[in-house]
Amino acid sequence: DAGVIQSPRHEVTEMGQEVTLRCKPISGHDYLFWYRQTMMRGLELLIYFNNNVPIDDSGMPEDRFSAKMPNASFSTLKIQPSEPRDSAVYFCASSSRGGDQPQHFGDGTRLSIL
Amino acid sequence: TQLLEQSPQFLSIQEGENLTVYCNSSSVFSSLQWYRQEPGEGPVLLVTVVTGGEVKKLKRLTFQFGDARKDSSLHITAAQPGDTGLYLCAGARNNFNKFYFGSGTKLNVKP
């Protein structure tokens, strides 16, 4: 299996620009999670989906952040407009059946907002 | 404030030594997971514990879930350079799908 695939691996952009991060979960997994990792706050859950439906978005920091899952094999996390404090590594993870099933993480997108 | 506090934050030891890292909270968790993360990669699951007092072994790694399900420990016997990485604990409370991650313990094992 190919694992969770995230793109791009690195993104550098200027403040105010729109940023779109992409994720392809493992085929057959019903749950998809978006996380953000920083030195200060560690790994934080932003939002998760079950069967393409957003279930809990309480971790999304502001209205500037939005996430979609148009089908079972694709999800996006968008930041518009971006700010320097959004700089972090963003991870996507997927799992089958949720619960205590393992979450399989992608290798992340390192985002730098100048 | 983190829901799960991990200690120590950093640990640098020689190959062959033993070590224990801790994951503590004032909250009760329905399950707790341990992950290891290497630079430039996502975390990889090591183990899941669900029962208070449960002990699981994975080769040289021993994981324990506290009786009250508020804390956990990871003990590594005879550490090797390949054990180097960031160790993260993650706990789920009432929502079994929502995991809260600790800040991590960064382990460096020197040859």
Side-chain angles (χ1 to χ4, degrees):
Chain A
D1 207 331
V4 175
I5 299 172
Q6 292 187 245
S7 64
R9 287 298 313 273
H10 303 273
E11 175 93 16
V12 180
T13 192
E14 291 191 347
M15 173 178 170
Q17 297 297 306
E18 178 179 292
V19 173
T20 300
L21 310 181
R22 296 173 176 80
C23 174
K24 177 178 167 56
I26 291 173
S27 177
H29 281 190
D30 297 332
Y31 288 81
L32 184 140
F33 306 83
W34 281 101
Y35 289 89
R36 177 172 70 176
Q37 187 173 39
T38 61
M39 289 291 291
M40 290 295 295
R41 300 175 67 90
L43 198 61
E44 302 173 280
L45 177 65
L46 301 177
I47 184 171
Y48 79 89
F49 296 81
N50 177 215
N51 292 323
N52 314 338
V53 176
I55 302 300
D56 188 332
D57 65 354
S58 58
M60 296 284 262
E62 297 172 35
D63 291 346
R64 297 184 296 107
F65 286 69
S66 63
K68 292 183 180 178
M69 192 163 185
N71 57 63
S73 59
F74 184 65
S75 178
T76 59
L77 178 68
K78 192 169 289 189
I79 309 173
Q80 167 63 17
S82 57
E83 296 183 4
R85 60 193 167 119
D86 302 330
S87 298
V89 182
Y90 290 80
F91 287 100
C92 175
S94 70
S95 75
S96 61
R97 306 201 322 263
D100 59 0
Q101 293 301 302
Q103 294 186 41
H104 298 264
F105 283 79
D107 286 336
T109 295
R110 183 172 292 276
L111 177 64
S112 297
I113 309 296
L114 307 176
Chain B
T1 305
Q2 296 268 352
L3 194 60
L4 284 163
E5 296 288 340
Q6 289 189 242
S7 61
Q9 284 188 322
F10 302 96
L11 191 55
S12 185
I13 60 171
Q14 291 293 138
E15 181 176 0
E17 291 183 17
N18 301 332
L19 67 114
T20 302
V21 299
Y22 301 92
C23 175
N24 295 302
S25 178
S26 56
S27 298
V28 176
F29 293 96
S30 55
S31 66
L32 195 137
Q33 298 180 332
W34 284 93
Y35 289 80
R36 182 170 70 211
Q37 184 179 17
E38 298 189 25
E41 299 181 7
V44 175
L45 181 71
L46 297 173
V47 79
T48 301
V49 285
V50 296
T51 305
E54 183 176 2
V55 176
K56 279 193 174 177
K57 292 196 174 188
L58 187 67
K59 297 183 181 177
R60 295 176 292 100
L61 278 59
T62 301
F63 304 85
Q64 183 159 9
F65 201 11
D67 291 341
R69 291 185 287 131
K70 292 182 179 181
D71 53 82
S72 181
S73 63
L74 158 58
H75 182 80
I76 301 179
T77 303
Q80 298 176 2
D83 296 326
T84 293
L86 178 68
Y87 287 82
L88 295 160
C89 65
R93 297 167 69 189
N94 297 327
N95 182 339
F96 292 94
N97 300 308
K98 189 170 182 175
F99 279 84
Y100 297 88
F101 278 79
S103 53
T105 293
K106 199 163 191 177
L107 172 65
N108 180 37
V109 183
K110 295 176 282 189

PDB file of all heavy atoms in Angstrom, chain B residues 8 16 27 31 33 39-40 47 54 68 84 91 99-100:
ATOM      1  N   PRO B   8      10.981  13.057  30.394  1.00  0.00           N
ATOM      2  CA  PRO B   8      11.556  14.383  30.203  1.00  0.00           C
ATOM      3  C   PRO B   8      11.299  14.885  28.787  1.00  0.00           C
ATOM      4  O   PRO B   8      10.861  14.133  27.931  1.00  0.00           O
ATOM      5  CB  PRO B   8      13.046  14.128  30.438  1.00  0.00           C
ATOM      6  CG  PRO B   8      13.257  12.732  29.965  1.00  0.00           C
ATOM      7  CD  PRO B   8      11.998  11.985  30.337  1.00  0.00           C
ATOM      8  N   GLY B  16      22.981   1.088  24.972  1.00  0.00           N
ATOM      9  CA  GLY B  16      23.046   0.058  26.002  1.00  0.00           C
ATOM     10  C   GLY B  16      22.369   0.441  27.310  1.00  0.00           C
ATOM     11  O   GLY B  16      22.081  -0.427  28.139  1.00  0.00           O
ATOM     12  N   SER B  27      -6.585  13.871  33.572  1.00  0.00           N
ATOM     13  CA  SER B  27      -7.805  13.364  32.934  1.00  0.00           C
ATOM     14  C   SER B  27      -7.721  11.856  32.727  1.00  0.00           C
ATOM     15  O   SER B  27      -6.631  11.292  32.603  1.00  0.00           O
ATOM     16  CB  SER B  27      -8.021  14.035  31.576  1.00  0.00           C
ATOM     17  OG  SER B  27      -8.186  15.419  31.715  1.00  0.00           O
ATOM     18  N   SER B  31      -8.377   5.290  25.905  1.00  0.00           N
ATOM     19  CA  SER B  31      -7.255   4.552  25.316  1.00  0.00           C
ATOM     20  C   SER B  31      -6.077   5.507  25.159  1.00  0.00           C
ATOM     21  O   SER B  31      -6.254   6.722  25.134  1.00  0.00           O
ATOM     22  CB  SER B  31      -7.623   3.940  23.961  1.00  0.00           C
ATOM     23  OG  SER B  31      -7.861   4.953  23.002  1.00  0.00           O
ATOM     24  N   GLN B  33      -2.186   5.865  23.100  1.00  0.00           N
ATOM     25  CA  GLN B  33      -1.283   5.343  22.080  1.00  0.00           C
ATOM     26  C   GLN B  33       0.095   5.973  22.245  1.00  0.00           C
ATOM     27  O   GLN B  33       0.224   7.106  22.721  1.00  0.00           O
ATOM     28  CB  GLN B  33      -1.832   5.646  20.680  1.00  0.00           C
ATOM     29  CG  GLN B  33      -3.172   4.990  20.394  1.00  0.00           C
ATOM     30  CD  GLN B  33      -3.696   5.298  19.001  1.00  0.00           C
ATOM     31  OE1 GLN B  33      -3.401   6.330  18.426  1.00  0.00           O
ATOM     32  NE2 GLN B  33      -4.489   4.374  18.449  1.00  0.00           N
ATOM     33  N   PRO B  39      12.801  12.592  12.101  1.00  0.00           N
ATOM     34  CA  PRO B  39      12.840  13.888  11.399  1.00  0.00           C
ATOM     35  C   PRO B  39      12.349  13.779   9.962  1.00  0.00           C
ATOM     36  O   PRO B  39      12.722  12.855   9.232  1.00  0.00           O
ATOM     37  CB  PRO B  39      14.324  14.262  11.452  1.00  0.00           C
ATOM     38  CG  PRO B  39      14.847  13.566  12.653  1.00  0.00           C
ATOM     39  CD  PRO B  39      14.096  12.272  12.748  1.00  0.00           C
ATOM     40  N   GLY B  40      11.474  14.698   9.566  1.00  0.00           N
ATOM     41  CA  GLY B  40      10.989  14.726   8.191  1.00  0.00           C
ATOM     42  C   GLY B  40       9.914  13.699   7.883  1.00  0.00           C
ATOM     43  O   GLY B  40       9.513  13.546   6.715  1.00  0.00           O
ATOM     44  N   VAL B  47       2.156   1.350  19.829  1.00  0.00           N
ATOM     45  CA  VAL B  47       1.268   0.504  20.625  1.00  0.00           C
ATOM     46  C   VAL B  47       0.023   1.277  21.019  1.00  0.00           C
ATOM     47  O   VAL B  47       0.026   2.510  21.058  1.00  0.00           O
ATOM     48  CB  VAL B  47       2.001   0.015  21.894  1.00  0.00           C
ATOM     49  CG1 VAL B  47       2.039   1.112  22.952  1.00  0.00           C
ATOM     50  CG2 VAL B  47       1.372  -1.234  22.471  1.00  0.00           C
ATOM     51  N   GLU B  54      -2.703  -2.194  32.182  1.00  0.00           N
ATOM     52  CA  GLU B  54      -2.217  -3.033  31.078  1.00  0.00           C
ATOM     53  C   GLU B  54      -0.731  -2.804  30.821  1.00  0.00           C
ATOM     54  O   GLU B  54      -0.242  -1.679  30.882  1.00  0.00           O
ATOM     55  CB  GLU B  54      -3.021  -2.706  29.820  1.00  0.00           C
ATOM     56  CG  GLU B  54      -2.681  -3.539  28.594  1.00  0.00           C
ATOM     57  CD  GLU B  54      -3.588  -3.231  27.414  1.00  0.00           C
ATOM     58  OE1 GLU B  54      -4.471  -2.342  27.527  1.00  0.00           O
ATOM     59  OE2 GLU B  54      -3.415  -3.872  26.369  1.00  0.00           O
ATOM     60  N   ALA B  68      -5.454   3.920  36.900  1.00  0.00           N
ATOM     61  CA  ALA B  68      -6.560   4.873  36.802  1.00  0.00           C
ATOM     62  C   ALA B  68      -6.728   5.420  35.389  1.00  0.00           C
ATOM     63  O   ALA B  68      -7.588   6.277  35.153  1.00  0.00           O
ATOM     64  CB  ALA B  68      -6.331   6.037  37.773  1.00  0.00           C
ATOM     65  N   THR B  84      16.523   6.328  18.434  1.00  0.00           N
ATOM     66  CA  THR B  84      16.509   7.790  18.406  1.00  0.00           C
ATOM     67  C   THR B  84      15.267   8.305  17.691  1.00  0.00           C
ATOM     68  O   THR B  84      14.878   7.784  16.643  1.00  0.00           O
ATOM     69  CB  THR B  84      17.775   8.323  17.703  1.00  0.00           C
ATOM     70  OG1 THR B  84      18.906   8.010  18.516  1.00  0.00           O
ATOM     71  CG2 THR B  84      17.719   9.821  17.487  1.00  0.00           C
ATOM     72  N   GLY B  91      -3.814  10.431  23.808  1.00  0.00           N
ATOM     73  CA  GLY B  91      -4.922   9.849  24.539  1.00  0.00           C
ATOM     74  C   GLY B  91      -6.267  10.251  23.964  1.00  0.00           C
ATOM     75  O   GLY B  91      -6.423  11.384  23.496  1.00  0.00           O
ATOM     76  N   PHE B  99      -7.859  12.205  19.369  1.00  0.00           N
ATOM     77  CA  PHE B  99      -6.696  11.966  20.200  1.00  0.00           C
ATOM     78  C   PHE B  99      -5.980  13.273  20.510  1.00  0.00           C
ATOM     79  O   PHE B  99      -5.737  14.083  19.629  1.00  0.00           O
ATOM     80  CB  PHE B  99      -5.731  10.993  19.510  1.00  0.00           C
ATOM     81  CG  PHE B  99      -6.128   9.556  19.675  1.00  0.00           C
ATOM     82  CD1 PHE B  99      -7.048   8.981  18.825  1.00  0.00           C
ATOM     83  CD2 PHE B  99      -5.589   8.787  20.700  1.00  0.00           C
ATOM     84  CE1 PHE B  99      -7.428   7.661  18.979  1.00  0.00           C
ATOM     85  CE2 PHE B  99      -5.965   7.455  20.868  1.00  0.00           C
ATOM     86  CZ  PHE B  99      -6.889   6.895  20.007  1.00  0.00           C
ATOM     87  N   TYR B 100      -5.619  13.439  21.778  1.00  0.00           N
ATOM     88  CA  TYR B 100      -4.836  14.581  22.219  1.00  0.00           C
ATOM     89  C   TYR B 100      -3.392  14.120  22.372  1.00  0.00           C
ATOM     90  O   TYR B 100      -3.125  13.134  23.061  1.00  0.00           O
ATOM     91  CB  TYR B 100      -5.346  15.102  23.569  1.00  0.00           C
ATOM     92  CG  TYR B 100      -6.764  15.609  23.529  1.00  0.00           C
ATOM     93  CD1 TYR B 100      -7.835  14.742  23.739  1.00  0.00           C
ATOM     94  CD2 TYR B 100      -7.042  16.945  23.279  1.00  0.00           C
ATOM     95  CE1 TYR B 100      -9.135  15.194  23.700  1.00  0.00           C
ATOM     96  CE2 TYR B 100      -8.356  17.412  23.244  1.00  0.00           C
ATOM     97  CZ  TYR B 100      -9.392  16.524  23.452  1.00  0.00           C
ATOM     98  OH  TYR B 100     -10.685  16.977  23.411  1.00  0.00           O
TER      99      TYR B 100
END
